[in-house]
PDB file of all heavy atoms in Angstrom:
ATOM      1  N   LEU A  11     -57.583 -85.771  62.475  1.00  0.00           N
ATOM      2  CA  LEU A  11     -56.219 -86.045  62.224  1.00  0.00           C
ATOM      3  C   LEU A  11     -55.956 -87.046  61.188  1.00  0.00           C
ATOM      4  O   LEU A  11     -54.973 -86.998  60.405  1.00  0.00           O
ATOM      5  CB  LEU A  11     -55.488 -86.358  63.523  1.00  0.00           C
ATOM      6  CG  LEU A  11     -55.345 -85.202  64.604  1.00  0.00           C
ATOM      7  CD1 LEU A  11     -54.822 -85.749  65.906  1.00  0.00           C
ATOM      8  CD2 LEU A  11     -54.403 -84.176  63.994  1.00  0.00           C
ATOM      9  N   MET A  12     -56.818 -88.099  61.127  1.00  0.00           N
ATOM     10  CA  MET A  12     -56.578 -89.128  60.220  1.00  0.00           C
ATOM     11  C   MET A  12     -56.835 -88.594  58.743  1.00  0.00           C
ATOM     12  O   MET A  12     -56.106 -88.905  57.791  1.00  0.00           O
ATOM     13  CB  MET A  12     -57.575 -90.338  60.507  1.00  0.00           C
ATOM     14  CG  MET A  12     -57.052 -91.172  61.670  1.00  0.00           C
ATOM     15  SD  MET A  12     -58.237 -92.373  62.221  1.00  0.00           S
ATOM     16  CE  MET A  12     -58.451 -93.397  60.713  1.00  0.00           C
ATOM     17  N   ILE A  13     -57.861 -87.872  58.642  1.00  0.00           N
ATOM     18  CA  ILE A  13     -58.280 -87.197  57.358  1.00  0.00           C
ATOM     19  C   ILE A  13     -56.982 -86.323  56.816  1.00  0.00           C
ATOM     20  O   ILE A  13     -56.642 -86.355  55.708  1.00  0.00           O
ATOM     21  CB  ILE A  13     -59.535 -86.431  57.326  1.00  0.00           C
ATOM     22  CG1 ILE A  13     -60.696 -87.378  57.541  1.00  0.00           C
ATOM     23  CG2 ILE A  13     -59.753 -85.587  56.116  1.00  0.00           C
ATOM     24  CD1 ILE A  13     -62.004 -86.705  57.892  1.00  0.00           C
ATOM     25  N   VAL A  14     -56.507 -85.494  57.715  1.00  0.00           N
ATOM     26  CA  VAL A  14     -55.468 -84.564  57.370  1.00  0.00           C
ATOM     27  C   VAL A  14     -54.158 -85.525  56.956  1.00  0.00           C
ATOM     28  O   VAL A  14     -53.502 -85.151  55.906  1.00  0.00           O
ATOM     29  CB  VAL A  14     -55.095 -83.690  58.512  1.00  0.00           C
ATOM     30  CG1 VAL A  14     -53.705 -82.965  58.228  1.00  0.00           C
ATOM     31  CG2 VAL A  14     -56.154 -82.663  58.748  1.00  0.00           C
ATOM     32  N   ALA A  15     -53.947 -86.545  57.689  1.00  0.00           N
ATOM     33  CA  ALA A  15     -52.725 -87.426  57.432  1.00  0.00           C
ATOM     34  C   ALA A  15     -52.921 -88.068  56.062  1.00  0.00           C
ATOM     35  O   ALA A  15     -51.956 -88.087  55.196  1.00  0.00           O
ATOM     36  CB  ALA A  15     -52.598 -88.495  58.468  1.00  0.00           C
ATOM     37  N   VAL A  16     -54.120 -88.504  55.766  1.00  0.00           N
ATOM     38  CA  VAL A  16     -54.365 -89.179  54.459  1.00  0.00           C
ATOM     39  C   VAL A  16     -54.302 -88.186  53.306  1.00  0.00           C
ATOM     40  O   VAL A  16     -53.579 -88.469  52.222  1.00  0.00           O
ATOM     41  CB  VAL A  16     -55.815 -89.798  54.473  1.00  0.00           C
ATOM     42  CG1 VAL A  16     -56.189 -90.229  52.973  1.00  0.00           C
ATOM     43  CG2 VAL A  16     -55.883 -90.965  55.353  1.00  0.00           C
ATOM     44  N   CYS A  17     -54.738 -86.959  53.471  1.00  0.00           N
ATOM     45  CA  CYS A  17     -54.593 -85.915  52.428  1.00  0.00           C
ATOM     46  C   CYS A  17     -53.157 -85.617  52.188  1.00  0.00           C
ATOM     47  O   CYS A  17     -52.697 -85.377  51.074  1.00  0.00           O
ATOM     48  CB  CYS A  17     -55.360 -84.671  52.858  1.00  0.00           C
ATOM     49  SG  CYS A  17     -57.066 -84.807  52.795  1.00  0.00           S
ATOM     50  N   LEU A  18     -52.372 -85.445  53.314  1.00  0.00           N
ATOM     51  CA  LEU A  18     -50.910 -85.182  53.109  1.00  0.00           C
ATOM     52  C   LEU A  18     -50.205 -86.225  52.412  1.00  0.00           C
ATOM     53  O   LEU A  18     -49.359 -86.027  51.516  1.00  0.00           O
ATOM     54  CB  LEU A  18     -50.364 -84.878  54.443  1.00  0.00           C
ATOM     55  CG  LEU A  18     -50.656 -83.448  55.084  1.00  0.00           C
ATOM     56  CD1 LEU A  18     -50.120 -83.350  56.554  1.00  0.00           C
ATOM     57  CD2 LEU A  18     -50.184 -82.342  54.131  1.00  0.00           C
ATOM     58  N   LEU A  19     -50.522 -87.538  52.732  1.00  0.00           N
ATOM     59  CA  LEU A  19     -49.879 -88.698  52.135  1.00  0.00           C
ATOM     60  C   LEU A  19     -50.201 -88.858  50.667  1.00  0.00           C
ATOM     61  O   LEU A  19     -49.378 -89.271  49.898  1.00  0.00           O
ATOM     62  CB  LEU A  19     -50.096 -89.941  52.947  1.00  0.00           C
ATOM     63  CG  LEU A  19     -49.458 -90.028  54.331  1.00  0.00           C
ATOM     64  CD1 LEU A  19     -50.014 -91.184  55.091  1.00  0.00           C
ATOM     65  CD2 LEU A  19     -47.969 -89.998  54.296  1.00  0.00           C
ATOM     66  N   CYS A  20     -51.430 -88.569  50.395  1.00  0.00           N
ATOM     67  CA  CYS A  20     -51.989 -88.841  48.991  1.00  0.00           C
ATOM     68  C   CYS A  20     -51.610 -87.716  47.993  1.00  0.00           C
ATOM     69  O   CYS A  20     -51.484 -87.919  46.812  1.00  0.00           O
ATOM     70  CB  CYS A  20     -53.458 -88.895  48.974  1.00  0.00           C
ATOM     71  SG  CYS A  20     -54.045 -90.409  49.763  1.00  0.00           S
ATOM     72  N   GLY A  21     -51.363 -86.553  48.416  1.00  0.00           N
ATOM     73  CA  GLY A  21     -51.020 -85.512  47.465  1.00  0.00           C
ATOM     74  C   GLY A  21     -50.416 -84.219  48.066  1.00  0.00           C
ATOM     75  O   GLY A  21     -49.997 -83.360  47.249  1.00  0.00           O
ATOM     76  N   GLY A  22     -50.496 -84.028  49.260  1.00  0.00           N
ATOM     77  CA  GLY A  22     -50.083 -82.853  49.826  1.00  0.00           C
ATOM     78  C   GLY A  22     -48.484 -82.554  49.605  1.00  0.00           C
ATOM     79  O   GLY A  22     -48.124 -81.473  49.597  1.00  0.00           O
ATOM     80  N   CYS A  23     -47.802 -83.600  49.558  1.00  0.00           N
ATOM     81  CA  CYS A  23     -46.365 -83.399  49.429  1.00  0.00           C
ATOM     82  C   CYS A  23     -45.872 -83.688  47.943  1.00  0.00           C
ATOM     83  O   CYS A  23     -44.731 -83.821  47.685  1.00  0.00           O
ATOM     84  CB  CYS A  23     -45.536 -84.392  50.375  1.00  0.00           C
ATOM     85  SG  CYS A  23     -45.896 -83.956  52.025  1.00  0.00           S
ATOM     86  N   ALA A  24     -46.824 -83.862  47.104  1.00  0.00           N
ATOM     87  CA  ALA A  24     -46.409 -84.196  45.691  1.00  0.00           C
ATOM     88  C   ALA A  24     -45.713 -82.956  45.063  1.00  0.00           C
ATOM     89  O   ALA A  24     -45.896 -81.837  45.424  1.00  0.00           O
ATOM     90  CB  ALA A  24     -47.671 -84.517  44.885  1.00  0.00           C
ATOM     91  N   LYS A  25     -44.812 -83.286  44.016  1.00  0.00           N
ATOM     92  CA  LYS A  25     -44.198 -82.145  43.312  1.00  0.00           C
ATOM     93  C   LYS A  25     -45.203 -81.434  42.537  1.00  0.00           C
ATOM     94  O   LYS A  25     -45.968 -81.927  41.803  1.00  0.00           O
ATOM     95  CB  LYS A  25     -43.020 -82.852  42.358  1.00  0.00           C
ATOM     96  CG  LYS A  25     -42.285 -81.773  41.695  1.00  0.00           C
ATOM     97  CD  LYS A  25     -41.325 -82.595  40.733  1.00  0.00           C
ATOM     98  CE  LYS A  25     -40.554 -81.607  39.926  1.00  0.00           C
ATOM     99  NZ  LYS A  25     -39.682 -82.111  38.949  1.00  0.00           N
ATOM    100  N   VAL A  26     -44.998 -80.121  42.563  1.00  0.00           N
ATOM    101  CA  VAL A  26     -45.889 -79.230  41.756  1.00  0.00           C
ATOM    102  C   VAL A  26     -45.478 -79.242  40.293  1.00  0.00           C
ATOM    103  O   VAL A  26     -44.362 -79.272  39.946  1.00  0.00           O
ATOM    104  CB  VAL A  26     -45.683 -77.680  42.216  1.00  0.00           C
ATOM    105  CG1 VAL A  26     -46.570 -76.822  41.469  1.00  0.00           C
ATOM    106  CG2 VAL A  26     -46.125 -77.627  43.762  1.00  0.00           C
TER     107      VAL A  26
END
Side-chain angles (χ1 to χ4, degrees):
L11 287 173
M12 288 175 52
I13 291 172
V14 169
V16 168
C17 289
L18 287 173
L19 290 174
C20 291
C23 297
K25 183 180 176 188
V26 177

